[in-house]
Amino acid sequence: MTKSKTTRRAALQTLAGAASMPLWARFADAQSAEPIKIGFQVHRTGIGAAYGRWYDRTTQAAVKLINEGGGINGRPVEIVAEDDGTDPKRGAEVIEKFANLHNCDVGFGTLFSHVVIGSSPRAGELKLPYFVVSEGHHVASGALNRYTLQPGITDVKSQVQAMAPYVADNLGKKVTMIFPDFAFGHDHRDFFTAAIEAQGGEVLEQIAIPPVETSFTKYFPNIPRDTEVLYHVMVGPAVLTFVKELGEFFGPSRPEVFGFIDSLEAVDMTSSGLEFLEGTYFWEGNPRYAQTDQSEHDKFYRAAVGVDANGASISDPADVSTYAHMFGCWETLHIIKAGMEAAGYQSAADRAKLVEAVEAMGEMPESQAHPQGAKLFNGKTHQVFGHQYISRVENGKLVKVHTTSIEDTLYPDEVDYTTQPL
Amino acid sequence: MRAFVLKHTIVALWMLSHGAGPALSHASEQGFVLLLPTDIYTNAGVTAVAATVVLLALLPEALSKCLFRPLHLWPISLKRLRFLSCTLSTCLLFWMIWRGLVGDRDPLDNPMPLLFWTVWWVALVSLQGVFGNIWQWIDPLRVPVHLSSWSNPVFRYPASMGYWPAAIGFLLFAGFLLADIAPTDPNRLALVVAFYVLATCFAVMLFGRRWIVRAEFVSVMMRSYGRVGLFGRARGRVSVGLWGWLATTQTAPPLSLAVLFVLLLGTGSFDGLNETFWWINFLGLNPLEFPGRSFVVLPSLIGLLVSNALLIGVFAASLWLGAQISNDRRSLPDLFRAFAPSILPIALGYHIAHYLTTFLVDGQYVLQMVDDPLGRGWHLLDLQDFFVTTGFFNRQSSVQVIWLTQAGAVVLGHIIAVLMAHRIALRDGATSWGAFVGQFPLALFMIAYTFLGLWLLATPRGA
């Protein structure tokens, strides 16, 4: 893949090119020359905008590739991007626009959970297949509906529980958790506490930090002395301060430290203040740094999106991507393509067939369409399961030290969406 | 429902610069700002403003007057050229509206929100305040207004209305900016702008061009900021002087216009405040999982009105107290009118500081749009290998430069304000010492406001 601009305009250019030689022939067999319209619910403004920029860039790269490969069922793909403002009410409006105004075939791409939760009911009512890329457990929990699917990214419940075996076997069994004191932190607390206990470990202390806190040193004396592993999931503007103060508190003698890369997604690991993290461990949804055993698919995917071996934009080494998450857009678009092809999708009348086709998907081997790794889709819970990665910070880079099995990430079904009418 | 893991609701929060304005949330510099010694910077900034106040008391009167004396450059009159440039600007406005209605739905791709918010509201308002009345050259309403006023107006614009319609218009605009749930939606924005243009033309038919001078908020606001720019016209020549020189030579504005000056600052201040952890926490929301603008429409509107009312009250109280101390017999409205222009450079400093990070990011989207204005795959600026970046928010060194630039705008705005207020007092007959004493409460207000401005830049934000 050459260095090329994969913006929306470039994707549209490919689309426009489909009407002229030589690309037109790729779409010539289609019964309809109309493009497949994918409504992209993108966080352009609001708190999700930083993620939205990379979700957009990944989406454009995937659509460009799909169109260069002949589109879907011989029809070009067109992305209709609407900003949801990272707001659930606006999100629901955007879903209505996709279905009623833009005549989109599907909705796609939502990241933030509260927007998914706000938008999903409307997608269900309008019978618009809604492919979210949110990582939330809300899909598999049964709270949504049959038209909402998460086939391109794993959920946080499976991610957290899959960490416990490695932590218990390699880092220690006595864990202290530090987390922000609200739903996000509580979910980590609950999921991981149960998972580590299942591994014969224990959580010595759960330290909940008020969300408005910007200085943390006063909480650190609560960390028990016999702590073997410190599990942290701090988020917000004060994360760098948190790490810096943690380093000042422990000095050179610290317990093992394990965190979720969410805390430092899109942050340069060599930033000043992060030196303390050297030798600590992180969950990664997809390894940010190209590893020594990098697959050809990851290599291809990086080049297509325009990301270098350090996970940063090829045009600016300081512009670090949201690499642990954005692959979900790429993979979801390829699943939409596979689903539409399996369903013989022709028009909006086939939306139900598309949902059924995706529900019928099971194993998804690692491939160009799935550069993050192999996956297993659960048609009943509408949630995909896949490998998780644990990386260690070495010389300011995240080096993969463990890949979980897919089995490590599984948990009993909490819903069967296939029993709901289409 | 606890199972709803709001994972990403939170994660990106610290990547934000500021989200309350439209299309503004991108940056990741907040984490680095919290690591900067902003308390030291803040103290330095506040001290600089306080030192200016003290210095003025000691400065000889003649020297104080010299500060704002302009340099007269050349006589120039290019009215025909101005009409041409405004005609082009009108065409651009109609093109924006058209693209907003039918173009790409992405607000960072569509010319309507990019040109309206990033180019006009963020950049041109700043440039107008820094350089002077450039708006007269690019005012897109000039031609439609000219055409609308071909016949005699139906009514005479009531003098009693003063500039109040413009003040109300600005508040409505501020409400749209701060509280609407999708002010960057291309279609929505195009409809709002189209409606405003039509309504303005209709009002001009009814009341004549006086509507533009007194009631149309964009023109009034732009001219207001133009008063404090470096360049202006004096003695028939283009002249240049210290920011605010033109305003200090003009007669005191009517009360309605003076109130509008203060509204510019009050709104700018609330625009910063409503993104802070403090405000979100005050509303009983978790700043780490800000639920979205639709959850805070009413609080934002109330906050906007209360902030402005408070500012007007505190400003008036400072003036009243100063008058009591210095035995100034002028009425409070007269004092308010006299000193309100000194608020303008503060408002401008806030505006520049608040939107600098936005401009650094969204300006790149503007470039991309100009590269391919119709979405046809063109590369008019040869930007085919260009990716929008926010990398400068990812380095401590660049974040420091950005923060100090923002802080510099705030501090400089206040220093100019202090100088202007002093000059206005001298103009109105006070001695240098008398002006110092009479303005002591006002100076304290400005020093406190410097602190507020720098605190807004340094404090964590979550919306």
Side-chain angles (χ1 to χ4, degrees), chain B residues 37 49 63 110 117 121 184 191 212 228 234 264 276 297 346 348 354 364 384 400 445 453:
Chain B
V49 177
L63 201 58
N110 191 296
W117 291 118
W121 174 240
T184 59
L191 290 173
I212 293 298
V228 293
L264 292 175
T276 62
V297 171
I346 305 179
L348 180 67
H354 183 72
Q364 298 177 66
Q384 54 266 36
Q400 186 177 27
F445 159 79

PDB file of all heavy atoms in Angstrom, chain B residues 37 49 63 110 117 121 184 191 212 228 234 264 276 297 346 348 354 364 384 400 445 453:
ATOM      1  N   PRO B  37       3.524  24.145  35.372  1.00  0.00           N
ATOM      2  CA  PRO B  37       3.419  24.967  36.596  1.00  0.00           C
ATOM      3  C   PRO B  37       2.495  26.154  36.364  1.00  0.00           C
ATOM      4  O   PRO B  37       2.906  27.312  36.413  1.00  0.00           O
ATOM      5  CB  PRO B  37       4.869  25.411  36.820  1.00  0.00           C
ATOM      6  CG  PRO B  37       5.483  25.418  35.459  1.00  0.00           C
ATOM      7  CD  PRO B  37       4.804  24.353  34.666  1.00  0.00           C
ATOM      8  N   VAL B  49      -0.560  42.385  35.375  1.00  0.00           N
ATOM      9  CA  VAL B  49      -1.701  43.299  35.286  1.00  0.00           C
ATOM     10  C   VAL B  49      -1.691  44.260  36.480  1.00  0.00           C
ATOM     11  O   VAL B  49      -1.902  45.477  36.330  1.00  0.00           O
ATOM     12  CB  VAL B  49      -3.028  42.509  35.224  1.00  0.00           C
ATOM     13  CG1 VAL B  49      -4.225  43.460  35.214  1.00  0.00           C
ATOM     14  CG2 VAL B  49      -3.042  41.620  33.986  1.00  0.00           C
ATOM     15  N   LEU B  63       2.577  61.149  29.381  1.00  0.00           N
ATOM     16  CA  LEU B  63       3.066  59.876  28.856  1.00  0.00           C
ATOM     17  C   LEU B  63       1.907  58.886  28.703  1.00  0.00           C
ATOM     18  O   LEU B  63       1.838  58.133  27.728  1.00  0.00           O
ATOM     19  CB  LEU B  63       4.130  59.313  29.800  1.00  0.00           C
ATOM     20  CG  LEU B  63       5.089  58.295  29.202  1.00  0.00           C
ATOM     21  CD1 LEU B  63       5.834  58.900  28.015  1.00  0.00           C
ATOM     22  CD2 LEU B  63       6.082  57.821  30.264  1.00  0.00           C
ATOM     23  N   ASN B 110     -17.837  19.721   5.452  1.00  0.00           N
ATOM     24  CA  ASN B 110     -18.763  20.631   4.786  1.00  0.00           C
ATOM     25  C   ASN B 110     -18.328  22.092   4.970  1.00  0.00           C
ATOM     26  O   ASN B 110     -18.003  22.505   6.079  1.00  0.00           O
ATOM     27  CB  ASN B 110     -20.168  20.427   5.366  1.00  0.00           C
ATOM     28  CG  ASN B 110     -21.225  21.134   4.561  1.00  0.00           C
ATOM     29  OD1 ASN B 110     -21.233  22.356   4.466  1.00  0.00           O
ATOM     30  ND2 ASN B 110     -22.113  20.365   3.955  1.00  0.00           N
ATOM     31  N   TRP B 117     -18.039  28.609  11.555  1.00  0.00           N
ATOM     32  CA  TRP B 117     -17.498  28.548  12.921  1.00  0.00           C
ATOM     33  C   TRP B 117     -15.990  28.779  12.953  1.00  0.00           C
ATOM     34  O   TRP B 117     -15.494  29.615  13.705  1.00  0.00           O
ATOM     35  CB  TRP B 117     -17.825  27.195  13.572  1.00  0.00           C
ATOM     36  CG  TRP B 117     -19.275  27.007  13.880  1.00  0.00           C
ATOM     37  CD1 TRP B 117     -20.109  26.054  13.375  1.00  0.00           C
ATOM     38  CD2 TRP B 117     -20.093  27.801  14.757  1.00  0.00           C
ATOM     39  NE1 TRP B 117     -21.384  26.206  13.889  1.00  0.00           N
ATOM     40  CE2 TRP B 117     -21.394  27.260  14.731  1.00  0.00           C
ATOM     41  CE3 TRP B 117     -19.854  28.923  15.563  1.00  0.00           C
ATOM     42  CZ2 TRP B 117     -22.450  27.790  15.483  1.00  0.00           C
ATOM     43  CZ3 TRP B 117     -20.904  29.458  16.318  1.00  0.00           C
ATOM     44  CH2 TRP B 117     -22.175  28.888  16.267  1.00  0.00           C
ATOM     45  N   TRP B 121     -16.245  32.780  13.036  1.00  0.00           N
ATOM     46  CA  TRP B 121     -16.385  32.996  14.481  1.00  0.00           C
ATOM     47  C   TRP B 121     -15.042  32.887  15.207  1.00  0.00           C
ATOM     48  O   TRP B 121     -14.706  33.722  16.041  1.00  0.00           O
ATOM     49  CB  TRP B 121     -17.409  32.015  15.050  1.00  0.00           C
ATOM     50  CG  TRP B 121     -17.521  32.045  16.552  1.00  0.00           C
ATOM     51  CD1 TRP B 121     -17.298  31.020  17.408  1.00  0.00           C
ATOM     52  CD2 TRP B 121     -17.888  33.167  17.374  1.00  0.00           C
ATOM     53  NE1 TRP B 121     -17.489  31.413  18.693  1.00  0.00           N
ATOM     54  CE2 TRP B 121     -17.858  32.730  18.712  1.00  0.00           C
ATOM     55  CE3 TRP B 121     -18.231  34.489  17.122  1.00  0.00           C
ATOM     56  CZ2 TRP B 121     -18.153  33.565  19.786  1.00  0.00           C
ATOM     57  CZ3 TRP B 121     -18.527  35.328  18.200  1.00  0.00           C
ATOM     58  CH2 TRP B 121     -18.492  34.865  19.497  1.00  0.00           C
ATOM     59  N   THR B 184     -23.222  22.505  14.654  1.00  0.00           N
ATOM     60  CA  THR B 184     -22.345  22.311  13.496  1.00  0.00           C
ATOM     61  C   THR B 184     -22.994  21.480  12.401  1.00  0.00           C
ATOM     62  O   THR B 184     -22.378  21.264  11.370  1.00  0.00           O
ATOM     63  CB  THR B 184     -21.037  21.611  13.900  1.00  0.00           C
ATOM     64  OG1 THR B 184     -21.364  20.352  14.472  1.00  0.00           O
ATOM     65  CG2 THR B 184     -20.244  22.425  14.890  1.00  0.00           C
ATOM     66  N   LEU B 191     -29.703  26.432   7.378  1.00  0.00           N
ATOM     67  CA  LEU B 191     -31.068  26.957   7.516  1.00  0.00           C
ATOM     68  C   LEU B 191     -31.097  28.157   8.459  1.00  0.00           C
ATOM     69  O   LEU B 191     -31.759  29.161   8.191  1.00  0.00           O
ATOM     70  CB  LEU B 191     -32.009  25.859   8.020  1.00  0.00           C
ATOM     71  CG  LEU B 191     -32.312  24.740   7.013  1.00  0.00           C
ATOM     72  CD1 LEU B 191     -33.119  23.623   7.677  1.00  0.00           C
ATOM     73  CD2 LEU B 191     -33.069  25.292   5.811  1.00  0.00           C
ATOM     74  N   ILE B 212     -28.977  47.849  10.219  1.00  0.00           N
ATOM     75  CA  ILE B 212     -27.641  47.255  10.181  1.00  0.00           C
ATOM     76  C   ILE B 212     -26.727  47.943  11.194  1.00  0.00           C
ATOM     77  O   ILE B 212     -25.920  47.310  11.873  1.00  0.00           O
ATOM     78  CB  ILE B 212     -27.049  47.390   8.760  1.00  0.00           C
ATOM     79  CG1 ILE B 212     -27.847  46.539   7.791  1.00  0.00           C
ATOM     80  CG2 ILE B 212     -25.577  47.002   8.723  1.00  0.00           C
ATOM     81  CD1 ILE B 212     -27.828  45.059   8.098  1.00  0.00           C
ATOM     82  N   VAL B 228     -11.009  48.118  18.710  1.00  0.00           N
ATOM     83  CA  VAL B 228      -9.794  47.929  19.512  1.00  0.00           C
ATOM     84  C   VAL B 228      -8.614  47.433  18.684  1.00  0.00           C
ATOM     85  O   VAL B 228      -7.564  47.132  19.220  1.00  0.00           O
ATOM     86  CB  VAL B 228     -10.033  46.965  20.699  1.00  0.00           C
ATOM     87  CG1 VAL B 228     -10.974  47.577  21.709  1.00  0.00           C
ATOM     88  CG2 VAL B 228     -10.535  45.614  20.223  1.00  0.00           C
ATOM     89  N   ALA B 234      -8.378  57.767  11.052  1.00  0.00           N
ATOM     90  CA  ALA B 234      -8.422  59.003  11.834  1.00  0.00           C
ATOM     91  C   ALA B 234      -7.872  60.123  10.969  1.00  0.00           C
ATOM     92  O   ALA B 234      -6.896  59.916  10.230  1.00  0.00           O
ATOM     93  CB  ALA B 234      -7.592  58.847  13.109  1.00  0.00           C
ATOM     94  N   LEU B 264     -20.171  40.523  25.401  1.00  0.00           N
ATOM     95  CA  LEU B 264     -19.137  39.788  24.661  1.00  0.00           C
ATOM     96  C   LEU B 264     -18.194  39.086  25.635  1.00  0.00           C
ATOM     97  O   LEU B 264     -17.812  37.933  25.433  1.00  0.00           O
ATOM     98  CB  LEU B 264     -18.335  40.744  23.768  1.00  0.00           C
ATOM     99  CG  LEU B 264     -19.079  41.374  22.590  1.00  0.00           C
ATOM    100  CD1 LEU B 264     -18.193  42.396  21.881  1.00  0.00           C
ATOM    101  CD2 LEU B 264     -19.535  40.309  21.596  1.00  0.00           C
ATOM    102  N   THR B 276     -15.647  23.349  32.368  1.00  0.00           N
ATOM    103  CA  THR B 276     -14.752  22.953  33.455  1.00  0.00           C
ATOM    104  C   THR B 276     -15.363  21.848  34.320  1.00  0.00           C
ATOM    105  O   THR B 276     -16.582  21.683  34.391  1.00  0.00           O
ATOM    106  CB  THR B 276     -14.452  24.153  34.375  1.00  0.00           C
ATOM    107  OG1 THR B 276     -15.691  24.593  34.950  1.00  0.00           O
ATOM    108  CG2 THR B 276     -13.821  25.299  33.601  1.00  0.00           C
ATOM    109  N   VAL B 297     -28.973  21.619  28.142  1.00  0.00           N
ATOM    110  CA  VAL B 297     -29.460  22.752  27.352  1.00  0.00           C
ATOM    111  C   VAL B 297     -29.926  23.885  28.274  1.00  0.00           C
ATOM    112  O   VAL B 297     -29.479  25.035  28.153  1.00  0.00           O
ATOM    113  CB  VAL B 297     -30.603  22.306  26.407  1.00  0.00           C
ATOM    114  CG1 VAL B 297     -31.257  23.520  25.755  1.00  0.00           C
ATOM    115  CG2 VAL B 297     -30.059  21.356  25.338  1.00  0.00           C
ATOM    116  N   ILE B 346     -10.373  42.683  26.775  1.00  0.00           N
ATOM    117  CA  ILE B 346     -10.434  41.479  27.617  1.00  0.00           C
ATOM    118  C   ILE B 346     -11.248  40.406  26.901  1.00  0.00           C
ATOM    119  O   ILE B 346     -10.854  39.239  26.835  1.00  0.00           O
ATOM    120  CB  ILE B 346     -11.061  41.785  28.993  1.00  0.00           C
ATOM    121  CG1 ILE B 346     -10.322  42.924  29.689  1.00  0.00           C
ATOM    122  CG2 ILE B 346     -11.068  40.542  29.865  1.00  0.00           C
ATOM    123  CD1 ILE B 346     -10.892  43.305  31.045  1.00  0.00           C
ATOM    124  N   LEU B 348     -11.690  40.127  23.789  1.00  0.00           N
ATOM    125  CA  LEU B 348     -10.899  39.643  22.655  1.00  0.00           C
ATOM    126  C   LEU B 348      -9.831  38.642  23.123  1.00  0.00           C
ATOM    127  O   LEU B 348      -9.627  37.591  22.499  1.00  0.00           O
ATOM    128  CB  LEU B 348     -10.240  40.824  21.941  1.00  0.00           C
ATOM    129  CG  LEU B 348      -9.384  40.457  20.739  1.00  0.00           C
ATOM    130  CD1 LEU B 348     -10.235  39.890  19.609  1.00  0.00           C
ATOM    131  CD2 LEU B 348      -8.600  41.672  20.246  1.00  0.00           C
ATOM    132  N   HIS B 354      -9.447  31.124  24.135  1.00  0.00           N
ATOM    133  CA  HIS B 354     -10.390  30.013  24.180  1.00  0.00           C
ATOM    134  C   HIS B 354     -10.366  29.190  22.894  1.00  0.00           C
ATOM    135  O   HIS B 354     -10.484  27.970  22.918  1.00  0.00           O
ATOM    136  CB  HIS B 354     -11.792  30.559  24.436  1.00  0.00           C
ATOM    137  CG  HIS B 354     -12.829  29.489  24.569  1.00  0.00           C
ATOM    138  ND1 HIS B 354     -12.903  28.678  25.681  1.00  0.00           N
ATOM    139  CD2 HIS B 354     -13.803  29.066  23.740  1.00  0.00           C
ATOM    140  CE1 HIS B 354     -13.891  27.821  25.521  1.00  0.00           C
ATOM    141  NE2 HIS B 354     -14.452  28.026  24.351  1.00  0.00           N
ATOM    142  N   GLN B 364      -7.004  22.977  10.051  1.00  0.00           N
ATOM    143  CA  GLN B 364      -6.501  21.969   9.115  1.00  0.00           C
ATOM    144  C   GLN B 364      -7.644  21.387   8.274  1.00  0.00           C
ATOM    145  O   GLN B 364      -7.471  21.094   7.095  1.00  0.00           O
ATOM    146  CB  GLN B 364      -5.809  20.844   9.878  1.00  0.00           C
ATOM    147  CG  GLN B 364      -4.594  21.290  10.671  1.00  0.00           C
ATOM    148  CD  GLN B 364      -4.006  20.121  11.463  1.00  0.00           C
ATOM    149  OE1 GLN B 364      -3.508  19.162  10.890  1.00  0.00           O
ATOM    150  NE2 GLN B 364      -4.099  20.200  12.773  1.00  0.00           N
ATOM    151  N   GLN B 384      -2.774  16.116  -1.236  1.00  0.00           N
ATOM    152  CA  GLN B 384      -3.209  14.716  -1.312  1.00  0.00           C
ATOM    153  C   GLN B 384      -2.591  13.838  -0.229  1.00  0.00           C
ATOM    154  O   GLN B 384      -3.163  12.828   0.149  1.00  0.00           O
ATOM    155  CB  GLN B 384      -2.946  14.105  -2.696  1.00  0.00           C
ATOM    156  CG  GLN B 384      -1.534  14.206  -3.190  1.00  0.00           C
ATOM    157  CD  GLN B 384      -1.348  15.431  -4.065  1.00  0.00           C
ATOM    158  OE1 GLN B 384      -1.934  16.468  -3.811  1.00  0.00           O
ATOM    159  NE2 GLN B 384      -0.547  15.303  -5.103  1.00  0.00           N
ATOM    160  N   GLN B 400       3.107  23.540  26.128  1.00  0.00           N
ATOM    161  CA  GLN B 400       3.542  24.692  26.921  1.00  0.00           C
ATOM    162  C   GLN B 400       3.490  25.978  26.086  1.00  0.00           C
ATOM    163  O   GLN B 400       3.009  27.015  26.557  1.00  0.00           O
ATOM    164  CB  GLN B 400       4.962  24.455  27.426  1.00  0.00           C
ATOM    165  CG  GLN B 400       5.449  25.525  28.382  1.00  0.00           C
ATOM    166  CD  GLN B 400       6.832  25.200  28.918  1.00  0.00           C
ATOM    167  OE1 GLN B 400       7.618  24.508  28.259  1.00  0.00           O
ATOM    168  NE2 GLN B 400       7.142  25.691  30.091  1.00  0.00           N
ATOM    169  N   PHE B 445     -11.099  44.584  39.876  1.00  0.00           N
ATOM    170  CA  PHE B 445     -11.970  43.710  39.083  1.00  0.00           C
ATOM    171  C   PHE B 445     -11.179  43.094  37.930  1.00  0.00           C
ATOM    172  O   PHE B 445     -11.276  41.896  37.655  1.00  0.00           O
ATOM    173  CB  PHE B 445     -13.162  44.528  38.571  1.00  0.00           C
ATOM    174  CG  PHE B 445     -13.852  43.941  37.370  1.00  0.00           C
ATOM    175  CD1 PHE B 445     -14.749  42.892  37.510  1.00  0.00           C
ATOM    176  CD2 PHE B 445     -13.612  44.443  36.089  1.00  0.00           C
ATOM    177  CE1 PHE B 445     -15.373  42.342  36.400  1.00  0.00           C
ATOM    178  CE2 PHE B 445     -14.234  43.901  34.984  1.00  0.00           C
ATOM    179  CZ  PHE B 445     -15.113  42.852  35.141  1.00  0.00           C
ATOM    180  N   GLY B 453      -9.486  34.182  34.084  1.00  0.00           N
ATOM    181  CA  GLY B 453      -9.150  33.759  32.725  1.00  0.00           C
ATOM    182  C   GLY B 453      -8.049  32.717  32.706  1.00  0.00           C
ATOM    183  O   GLY B 453      -8.122  31.726  31.969  1.00  0.00           O
TER     184      GLY B 453
END
